[in-house]
Each structure stands twice: as structure tokens, then as C-alpha cells.
């Protein structure tokens, strides 16, 4: 490869046109290693330029190449060693191309490398031991290639690593010593679909920064599951499926209360939550950690209370056999008497026409009615009969209540309207389940009408309600699981978050357009032309490709019917803002009040303080505040010196003082200054949406039409 670089230099010297710096020639060597470039991605990589800083996919800082990013361009070729000569190189992203061959060890001479993303190619060979030189490496994604061999032990020297994805390769061997204790900052770990073997390192429980799913599935790991895995963060989902693991499943920490989904495909595993009980010969089978949540009076499975010998060894005495037979006979007689009694009551009901209107109360609390149904009424629920089964809201729901209750569940968040869980069914389907509470409200018919109306909403930017469950003690709403959290977290992060990747302007604009489309659907095309009434970044969820989903629509109303005590009630909400406390009289008790310290209050339209019928212009105002938040990167409550004001007031003050856009713009958007015209256009839309007069605000249809003219650049 050195010869190729020299050849390139000689060629340009012979023509007398050499003007390119050394880093440019290193990249031209990279271009020479590309056999096919069907989209012309490297067409402007010309030797006549002084530097490569204007070339496609190349980013420079102080005329030094810091990033080479050419994803999804169908490039066919191999990786040259010349990339390692770029001394200031920080980021390499060549994902989803057609690179083949091995990973040159010279690449790791660029010791300042922070991210190496090569997934979705056809690279092969082993991972060079020189990987350990990358002391600043934070992201290593080699997934979906054909790499083989074992992971070099030197990788544990990459102590700043935050994301390690080696999935879907042919890596083998055991994990290196110190794997668990070396990566103190690791947040993402995916080793699935390889041929790793040996035991799972016991120190893996030290990876306290992990998030999401730790995926060790589809490998050849053997031995027992280390109990120390339970030390991982509680919300981490540990996928151990399809290995050769054996022994009891530890019931500690993050391993507790997991459904069978995480452990299937390991025939040697036993104990809860699997249906395969541990035998007495299984090592540690009788350890307390392997038997979760047994009541204090639960009888031993194998030993009696006297001698320590199993029942099979001692046998049953003659008196014990007689006692069992007598008790069985008595039980049969009691069942017969019960049926006789019920039959007589049913017949008595049939004789009295008035009594035929009675219904069966499943709770049996103080009700003397008998169980009577006419043939044409036997399948009809009275308004007083409570629903005790999962009710699907579309034909795609293939799971039942039993599957739902047995699934692995993880708390996603808590609010004034119940707890939200991530639920992973045994077949891998992931759902979000909101528990509304344990209120004993009897308003089932009202709840049913409301939830089924919400369940009919279908739009790419509206979170889909798939099913619900109602009983005296439990009310559940089952949604599609949306994986990338809320817009609020994407904009501002959250406490305890180790890493934070800010949203680019292109991504923000995509989200802005999606929210607008979802609101247009709610306002104009939904069956009742709904008002959301509680729109804010925390209830806008982001999908796999960061597409937005408006969630929590109608949630306050459902919580109120279900007997809970929601903090917010959608469509019937007013807010008292701090700067208006002295100007507004106390509102009617009909109106749900929200603490002024609640961030949700700053998204509410001014007229929501009055007892009026909810208007779609309430949503327009909330949308405008969200746009301002996405442009400025500020929270809806802005601190200015020792005082504070809401974001709308602050923006208005900045406009009056004619401050430059740079003073208002989110600092994370500094690299997007070339999008200034788009940002200003969106700012104008936002200011129209937050107009104090609802009549002067545009409709969401008009907003969406204007936004559609702003083109989102392709990747």
C-alpha cells in the first residue's frame, strides 16, 4: 500500500500539478482502493485541490482531517492502511457499503480515533491486537461482517469505550480476562450471533453504566449464569438465549422477575422463570437465591418436615393412604351439593320473569342475585359486569392476557398517571404497558367507549393503542413499544445519562414535520376531530429512525374514569404560570390545576386558564413552544440572571432587542449554520403558533403545508 501511495505521488509529480497536502494523498490512496463507486460519492476527490477538506464525506479542523464518513454509498473495495497516517483522525464511518478483506493494523496508528463504525460490510479476518492502542475509542461497531478469531486481550485497554457491537460475525473463543472490569464507561454491549464460548465472565456485573439490552444470545457460552450479573442496572435487559448455559437461574438484582424470554434455548438451565425445575442433584439448586417470592408457608418440594428423606424414599403409610381417600370422597360430595344448590337457584330464577334480569357479580360482594342468563343474553355484558380479559383493539393482536402477565417487564417511568413498563413477550414481541392504578371504579362502559375510540386512531405519527385490560384492581393500556425514548430526553438528556448525542438540525426538522402531520390527523381526519390538550416533548416518543409518535392522547380522561388520580387531565386542563399569579383569579373547581413548578404547564395556551371548551388552537400553541425549544435547546422555563421567565417571553424579548440568531440558537446546532434560512423559517412558524390570541394562530394544516416546502437533505 506504501508503494501505491508513492506511485500516486509520482504520477502527479510527472504532470506538474501537485498541490495537494499529504493528508489529501492519503485519502487519494483510499480512493484508489475503491473498485466501484456507483453513486459517484468520491467524484470530487481531486488532486488539484490544496486540501481534502471540501471533499465529500471529509471533515477537517484546522486543515487536518478529523472525520471520514461515507455511509450507504455502495462502495466496493478494501480498506487501505493509509487511513492510519491521518494523525488527527477521530471518526470513521463506512457503514453499509461493500468493503471486503481484513482490517489493516496500520489503521490503529491513528491513536486519537474515537469512533470506528464499519457495520454492514463484508470484512473478514481477525481483530488486530493493535486495537488496544486506541485509548480514546468510544464507539466500535463491527457488526454484520464476517470477522473471526477471538477478541484480543488488548481491547480491555480501550477504557473509554461506550458502545461495543460485534454482533453477527464469526468471532469465537472466550471473552478476554478483565472484560467486565475494564469497560467502566460501557453503555451498549451486543455480542449476539457469534461463536463465543467458555463461561460468562463473573466480573461482567461491574459494568454499571450499561443501558438497554445486553445481548449475549446465539453463542456457545457454557457453564452457569454468574449471580454477579444481577448487579447490572435494574433496567438492563440481559438476553442469554440460545447458548449452552446450565444450572439454576440466579434470582438476584437485574436477573429477578424476568420472563422465560431471556433464557430460552439453553436446555441445561432450570428453575424460575423456566418451566424446567431444578433437580436435587443440580448444583446450587436449593440455594435461596434460586427460589424467588415463595410465601413463608410454602411447603418444601422434596423433603418432609421430619426426617430429611424424600417422600419417594420413605413411601406413604397405610393410614396416610386411607386419609387421602376419605378426604377425596368428602370433597366429591361437597362439589355435588354445590352443583345441586346452584341448579335449584337457576331453576328458581327461570320461574320468575323479573329475576331473569339479574346478573352475576364476579366479586360476590353483598349481591344475592343468582346466575341466570337467557340464551340470547348469555354472551352479553351488562354495564355492571366488569371486564376480566385482555381486549384487543385490532386484528394484529396475537397475544393473550396469560402471555402478557408471564412476560419480562421493566419499569420505563412513573408519573401522576401510573407506571409505564416495557414488556417483552416470550416470542420476542415488545410492548409498552401503562398501568392506570388500582381504583375500584365501576364506570366500565364509559371507559370502554373512550378507549375503543382512541384505539381506532391509526397514523404513522400517533402511538398506537393495541389492547386494554379492565378489572376491579387493575386497568392496563397496551401500546406498541417505541424504542428511542422521548423528545425531551433527546433534546436535554436526563439525570445520570453518561453520554448524550445531540440532534442535528436535519433530524429536528424531520421530527418537527412528523409532529405536525400527527396533529393534522388528530384535528381534521380522526373520527371526532380531537384535541390532544397536553402536548409536550415528554409525550412525543421517537422510533427506530427517530420518527416522532404523539403519545398519551386521552390518557387523563381514561385515568379519571378508571378511578385514578391523574396529575393532568387531557382536554380539561389549565395552568397558572408564575408571572400571572397576581393577575388571574382562582379558577373554577371544574378545572384541573397544575403546579406552577411543573414544566408541563409552560406548554399550555394562555386561554387554557379559563373554563372554556378545549380548542385545537391549544395544541397549536403547545406545538409552537416545542418548536422554540428545539431551536434554542432551552427548557420552557428560562433563567435570566436572578429572574426567570417562560421561553415564549424570552424569545419575544430577544426579538425586541434584535439579538443575532447565534445568541438564540442551541449551541449544539452550531455545525448547522448553513441551514440558517430553514431555522429562521421555522422560528417564524413558531412565533405565529404562540401568538397570544388564539384566533391569530395558524391551523396545523397550514403549518404542515408550510413545513413541507422545507426540504430535508438525504443522508
Amino acid at each position: 500500500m506504501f508503494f501505491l501511495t508513492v506511485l500516486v505521488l509520482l504520477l502527479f509529480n510527472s504532470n506538474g500539478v501537485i498541490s495537494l497536502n499529504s493528508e489529501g494523498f492519503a485519502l487519494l490512496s483510499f480512493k484508489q482502493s475503491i473498485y466501484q463507486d456507483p453513486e459517484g460519492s468520491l467524484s470530487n476527490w481531486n488532486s488539484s485541490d490544496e486540501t481534502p477538506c471540501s471533499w465529500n464525506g471529509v471533515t477537517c479542523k484546522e486543515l487536518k482531517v478529523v472525520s471520514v464518513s461515507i455511509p450507504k454509498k455502495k462502495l466496493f473495495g478494501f480498506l487501505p492502511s493509509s487511513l492510519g497516517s491521518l494523525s488527527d483522525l477521530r471518526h470513521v464511518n463506512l457503514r453499509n457499503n461493500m468493503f471486503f478483506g481484513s482490517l489493516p493494523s496500520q489503521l490503529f496508528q491513528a491513536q486519537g480515533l474515537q469512533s470506528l463504525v464499519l457495520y454492514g460490510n463484508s470484512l473478514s479476518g481477525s481483530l488486530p491486537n493493535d486495537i488496544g492502542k486506541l485509548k480514546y475509542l468510544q464507539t466500535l461497531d463491527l457488526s454484520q461482517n464476517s470477522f473471526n478469531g477471538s477478541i484480543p486481550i488488548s481491547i480491555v485497554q480501550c477504557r473509554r469505550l461506550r458502545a461495543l457491537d460485534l454482533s453477527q460475525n464469526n468471532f469465537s473463543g472466550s471473552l478476554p480476562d478483565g472484560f467486565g472490569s475494564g469497560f467502566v464507561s460501557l453503555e451498549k454491549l451486543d455480542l449476539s450471533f457469534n461463536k463465543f464460548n467458555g463461561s460468562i465472565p463473573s466480573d461482567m456485573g461491574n459494568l454499571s453504566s450499561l443501558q438497554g439490552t445486553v445481548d449475549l444470545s446465539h453463542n456457545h457460552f457454557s457453564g452457569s449464569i454468574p449471580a454477579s450479573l444481577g448487579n447490572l442496572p435494574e433496567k438492563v435487559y440481559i438476553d442469554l438465549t440460545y447458548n449452552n448455559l446450565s444450572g439454576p437461574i440466579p434470582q438476584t438484582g437485574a436477573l429477578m422477575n424476568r420472563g422465560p424470554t431471556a433464557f430460552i434455548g439453553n436446555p441445561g438451565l432450570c428453575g424460575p422463570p423456566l418451566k424446567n425445575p431444578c433437580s436435587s442433584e443440580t448444583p446450587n439448586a436449593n440455594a435461596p437465591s434460586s427460589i424467588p417470592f415463595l410465601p413463608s408457608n410454602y411447603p418444601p418440594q422434596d423433603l418432609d418436615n421430619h426426617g430429611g428423606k424424600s417422600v419417594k424414599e420413605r413411601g406413604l403409610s397405610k393410614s396416610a393412604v386411607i386419609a387421602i381417600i376419605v378426604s377425596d370422597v368428602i370433597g366429591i360430595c361437597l362439589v355435588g351439593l354445590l352443583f345441586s344448590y346452584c341448579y335449584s337457584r337457576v331453576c328458581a330464577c327461570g320461574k320468575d320473569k323479573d329475576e331473569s334480569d339479574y346478573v352475576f357479580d364476579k366479586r360476590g360482594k353483598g349481591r344475592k342475585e343468582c346466575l341466570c342468563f337467557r340464551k340470547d343474553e348469555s354472551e352479553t355484558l351488562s354495564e355492571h359486569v366488569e371486564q376480566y380479559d385482555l381486549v384487543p383493539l385490532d386484528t394484529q393482536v396475537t397475544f393473550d392476557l396469560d402471555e402478557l402477565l408471564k412476560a419480562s417487564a421493566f419499569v420505563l417511568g412513573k408519573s401522576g398517571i401510573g407506571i409505564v413498563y416495557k414488556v417483552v413477550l416470550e416470542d420476542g414481541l415488545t410492548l409498552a404497558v401503562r398501568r392506570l392504578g388500582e381504583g375500584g371504579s365501576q364506570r366500565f362502559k364509559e371507559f370502554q367507549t373512550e378507549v375503543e375510540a382512541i384505539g381506532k386512531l391509526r397514523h404513522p405519527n400517533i402511538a398506537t393503542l393495541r389492547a386494554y385490560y379492565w378489572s376491579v384492581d387493575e386497568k392496563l393500556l397496551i401500546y406498541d413499544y417505541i424504542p428511542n425514548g422521548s423528545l425531551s430526553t433527546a433534546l436535554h438528556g436526563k439525570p445520570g445519562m453518561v453520554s448524550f448525542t445531540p440532534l442535528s438540525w436535519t433530524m429536528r426538522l424531520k421530527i418537527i414535520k412528523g409532529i405536525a402531520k400527527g396533529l393534522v390527523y388528530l384535528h381534521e381526519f380522526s373520527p371526532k376531530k380531537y384535541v390532544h390538550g397536553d402536548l409536550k416533548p415528554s409525550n412525543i416518543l421517537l422510533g427506530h429512525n427517530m420518527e416522532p409518535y404523539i403519545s398519551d392522547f386521552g390518557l387523563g380522561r381514561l385515568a379519571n374514569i378508571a378511578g385514578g388520580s391523574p396529575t393532568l387531565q387531557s382536554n380539561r386542563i389549565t395552568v397558572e404560570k408564575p408571572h400571572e399569579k397576581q393577575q388571574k383569579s382562582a379558577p373554577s373547581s371544574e378545572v384541573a390545576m397544575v403546579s406552577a413548578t411543573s414544566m408541563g404547564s409552560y406548554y399550555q395556551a394562555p386561554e387554557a386558564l379559563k373554563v372554556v371548551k378545549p380548542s385545537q388552537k391549544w395544541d397549536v400553541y403547545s406545538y409552537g413552544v416545542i418548536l422554540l425549544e428545539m431551536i434554542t435547546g432551552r427548557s420552557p422555563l428560562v433563567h435570566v440572571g436572578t429572574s426567570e421567565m417562560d421561553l415564549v417571553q424570552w424569545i419575544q424579548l430577544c426579538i425586541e432587542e434584535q439579538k443575532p440568531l447565534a445568541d438564540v440558537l442551541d449551541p449544539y446546532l452550531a455545525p448547522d449554520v448553513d441551514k440558517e434560512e430553514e431555522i429562521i423559517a421555522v422560528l417564524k412558524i413558531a412565533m405565529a403558533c404562540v401568538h397570544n390570541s388564539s384566533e391569530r394562530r395558524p391551523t396545523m394544516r397550514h403549518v404542515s403545508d408550510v413545513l413541507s416546502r422545507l426540504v430535508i437533505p438525504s443522508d
Side-chain angles (χ1 to χ4, degrees):
M1 192 49 58
F2 175 75
F3 173 75
L4 181 61
T5 304
V6 172
L7 182 61
V8 172
L9 286 169
L10 290 174
L11 285 174
F12 288 117
N13 270 323
S14 64
N15 292 326
V17 293
I18 183 166
S19 59
L20 190 62
N21 64 15
S22 59
E23 295 203 336
F25 281 113
L27 289 177
L28 282 182
S29 177
F30 172 78
K31 182 178 180 180
Q32 294 295 322
S33 69
I34 306 298
Y35 300 129
Q36 294 180 17
D37 179 12
E39 298 184 11
S41 304
L42 310 182
S43 58
N44 72 337
W45 287 32
N46 298 317
S47 60
S48 58
D49 297 325
E50 292 184 2
T51 72
C53 297
S54 62
W55 294 357
N56 292 338
V58 177
T59 303
C60 293
K61 186 175 182 180
E62 298 178 355
L63 300 181
K64 288 286 192 177
V65 176
V66 295
S67 174
V68 177
S69 180
I70 317 172
K72 301 191 300 183
K73 298 302 181 182
K74 303 177 183 177
L75 298 179
F76 178 70
F78 60 91
L79 295 180
S81 58
S82 59
L83 287 177
S85 65
L86 302 173
S87 58
D88 283 25
L89 188 62
R90 298 291 180 266
H91 307 283
V92 174
N93 181 0
L94 300 174
R95 62 182 173 88
N96 289 322
N97 282 290
M98 294 184 286
F99 287 101
F100 60 89
S102 59
L103 202 57
S105 60
Q106 294 90 338
L107 174 62
F108 303 124
Q109 292 175 1
Q111 295 183 13
L113 204 62
Q114 296 176 13
S115 65
L116 180 59
V117 180
L118 300 173
Y119 76 78
N121 283 283
S122 299
L123 296 166
S124 59
S126 59
L127 187 58
N129 194 56
D130 290 339
I131 185 79
K133 294 180 179 179
L134 304 182
K135 307 296 184 183
Y136 300 96
L137 189 65
Q138 297 179 27
T139 300
L140 179 62
D141 191 341
L142 305 179
S143 59
Q144 300 179 41
N145 279 284
S146 299
F147 288 109
N148 53 41
S150 58
I151 301 179
I153 192 171
S154 64
I155 196 171
V156 299
Q157 298 172 20
C158 304
R159 299 183 64 82
R160 300 193 184 191
L161 203 59
R162 292 184 176 180
L164 176 61
D165 192 342
L166 305 179
S167 61
Q168 300 186 52
N169 278 284
N170 293 311
F171 284 112
S172 59
S174 57
L175 299 183
D177 293 337
F179 187 89
S181 56
F183 300 130
V184 292
S185 301
L186 198 64
E187 298 172 6
K188 177 185 178 181
L189 177 61
D190 191 346
L191 305 178
S192 62
F193 291 93
N194 278 287
K195 298 176 182 177
F196 289 115
N197 54 38
S199 59
I200 297 174
S202 59
D203 63 355
M204 194 172 285
N206 297 329
L207 301 176
S208 58
S209 299
L210 283 173
Q211 302 173 11
T213 297
V214 175
D215 200 341
L216 306 181
S217 67
H218 296 85
N219 278 288
H220 300 153
F221 288 115
S222 58
S224 59
I225 300 173
S228 59
L229 285 186
N231 297 332
L232 294 177
E234 184 179 351
K235 291 184 179 181
V236 167
Y237 179 71
I238 306 169
D239 191 343
L240 301 174
T241 55
Y242 297 100
N243 279 284
N244 296 321
L245 299 168
S246 59
I249 299 171
Q251 294 297 307
T252 58
L255 290 169
M256 292 180 66
N257 302 327
R258 296 295 186 249
T261 313
F263 307 103
I264 58 175
N266 293 278
L269 285 179
C270 62
L274 301 178
K275 296 179 181 179
N276 176 28
C278 294
S279 66
S280 57
E281 290 81 19
T282 303
N284 300 320
N286 295 320
S289 62
S290 66
I291 309 175
F293 303 121
L294 292 183
S296 58
N297 61 347
Y298 189 82
Q301 294 178 344
D302 296 317
L303 302 180
D304 65 10
N305 294 325
H306 302 291
K309 292 183 178 181
S310 69
V311 172
K312 290 181 180 179
E313 289 175 353
R314 296 180 63 224
L316 290 174
S317 66
K318 182 176 181 181
S319 59
V321 174
I322 294 173
I324 292 172
I325 294 173
V326 170
S327 62
D328 286 346
V329 172
I330 293 173
I332 292 171
C333 292
L334 287 174
V335 172
L337 288 171
L338 180 61
F339 274 110
S340 177
Y341 172 75
C342 290
Y343 178 76
S344 64
R345 294 301 303 273
V346 171
C347 291
C349 289
K351 294 175 183 177
D352 190 334
K353 181 179 179 180
D354 294 334
E355 289 182 355
S356 65
D357 294 331
Y358 290 158
V359 296
F360 179 57
D361 183 355
K362 293 189 177 184
R363 295 169 299 158
K365 295 182 179 178
R367 300 287 294 273
K368 294 185 178 180
E369 300 87 280
C370 57
L371 177 56
C372 290
F373 292 109
R374 295 179 181 273
K375 289 182 179 179
D376 58 348
E377 294 175 326
S378 60
E379 299 300 323
T380 302
L381 278 173
S382 163
E383 62 179 2
H384 297 294
V385 177
E386 298 193 0
Q387 182 65 44
Y388 279 83
D389 200 4
L390 191 72
V391 180
L393 296 174
D394 65 31
T395 56
Q396 297 180 14
V397 174
T398 58
F399 54 90
D400 56 25
L401 181 62
D402 187 60
E403 291 175 273
L404 188 69
L405 297 180
K406 289 181 179 179
S408 301
F410 318 91
V411 175
L412 290 176
K414 301 179 181 179
S415 70
I417 313 183
I419 302 175
V420 181
Y421 299 87
K422 175 184 176 182
V423 174
V424 183
L425 302 185
E426 190 168 356
D427 62 0
L429 177 65
T430 306
L431 304 166
V433 178
R434 182 180 286 275
R435 183 185 182 201
L436 291 182
E438 300 179 358
S441 171
Q442 302 303 304
R443 298 158 64 184
F444 170 66
K445 279 294 183 182
E446 190 177 354
F447 183 89
Q448 181 185 43
T449 300
E450 195 81 18
V451 77
E452 291 185 357
I454 295 172
K456 292 178 181 177
L457 301 178
R458 292 291 184 273
H459 187 270
N461 299 113
I462 304 288
T464 302
L465 180 61
R466 294 295 183 190
Y468 71 94
Y469 171 79
W470 169 287
S471 75
V472 175
D473 299 319
E474 201 74 74
K475 287 89 180 171
L476 305 176
L477 301 175
I478 296 93
Y479 297 85
D480 288 336
Y481 174 70
I482 300 171
N484 276 324
S486 70
L487 176 59
S488 178
T489 300
L491 284 174
H492 308 297
K494 59 183 178 181
M497 181 180 283
V498 178
S499 66
F500 176 68
T501 304
L503 295 172
S504 66
W505 173 250
T506 299
M507 191 60 68
R508 295 187 199 207
L509 186 57
K510 174 183 177 180
I511 293 169
I512 285 168
K513 291 183 176 184
I515 300 169
K517 291 176 182 177
L519 287 175
V520 171
Y521 171 79
L522 279 179
H523 289 181
E524 298 193 18
F525 300 102
S526 61
K528 298 183 180 180
K529 296 188 175 181
Y530 289 110
V531 177
H532 188 288
D534 188 26
L535 191 69
K536 53 191 174 185
S538 60
N539 57 31
I540 295 169
L541 306 179
L542 301 174
H544 285 287
N545 297 312
M546 302 301 281
E547 64 276 15
Y549 292 83
I550 298 172
S551 70
D552 289 4
F553 171 70
L555 187 58
R557 170 72 174 159
L558 291 175
N560 185 43
I561 296 171
S565 300
T567 302
L568 302 177
Q569 296 187 29
S570 300
N571 305 344
R572 296 288 295 170
I573 182 169
T574 63
V575 181
E576 188 175 7
K577 298 182 180 179
H579 62 278
E580 298 175 2
K581 281 186 176 180
Q582 305 301 322
Q583 304 172 14
K584 302 293 181 179
S585 59
S588 164
S589 60
E590 289 184 349
V591 181
M593 293 303 300
V594 180
S595 167
T597 60
S598 168
M599 283 301 174
S601 65
Y602 296 97
Y603 300 96
Q604 299 297 320
E607 67 271 16
L609 287 162
K610 304 173 184 178
V611 183
V612 294
K613 183 179 180 181
S615 162
Q616 293 179 350
K617 294 300 181 73
W618 292 19
D619 289 346
V620 176
Y621 185 95
S622 302
Y623 179 77
V625 179
I626 292 171
L627 295 192
L628 294 178
E629 193 170 344
M630 297 182 78
I631 292 170
T632 66
R634 292 176 178 262
S635 297
L637 181 62
V638 181
H639 296 275
V640 182
T642 58
S643 61
E644 57 187 27
M645 62 181 69
D646 66 39
L647 182 57
V648 174
Q649 287 181 309
W650 181 76
I651 284 286
Q652 290 170 340
L653 182 64
C654 291
I655 293 174
E656 290 171 5
E657 295 178 356
Q658 298 184 349
K659 290 189 175 181
L661 180 64
D663 289 357
V664 174
L665 199 62
D666 184 347
Y668 286 123
L669 292 179
D672 296 296
V673 289
D674 58 323
K675 306 292 195 310
E676 181 176 335
E677 290 185 6
E678 286 182 359
I679 295 172
I680 292 175
V682 174
L683 180 58
K684 290 179 179 179
I685 295 171
M687 296 309 297
C689 290
V690 297
H691 199 286
N692 195 56
S693 170
S694 62
E695 296 177 356
R696 300 283 298 277
R697 295 174 204 148
T699 63
M700 285 310 305
R701 168 71 77 92
H702 178 73
V703 169
S704 185
D705 288 344
V706 173
L707 286 171
S708 66
R709 302 188 196 111
L710 300 178
V711 179
I712 299 178
S714 58
D715 292 345

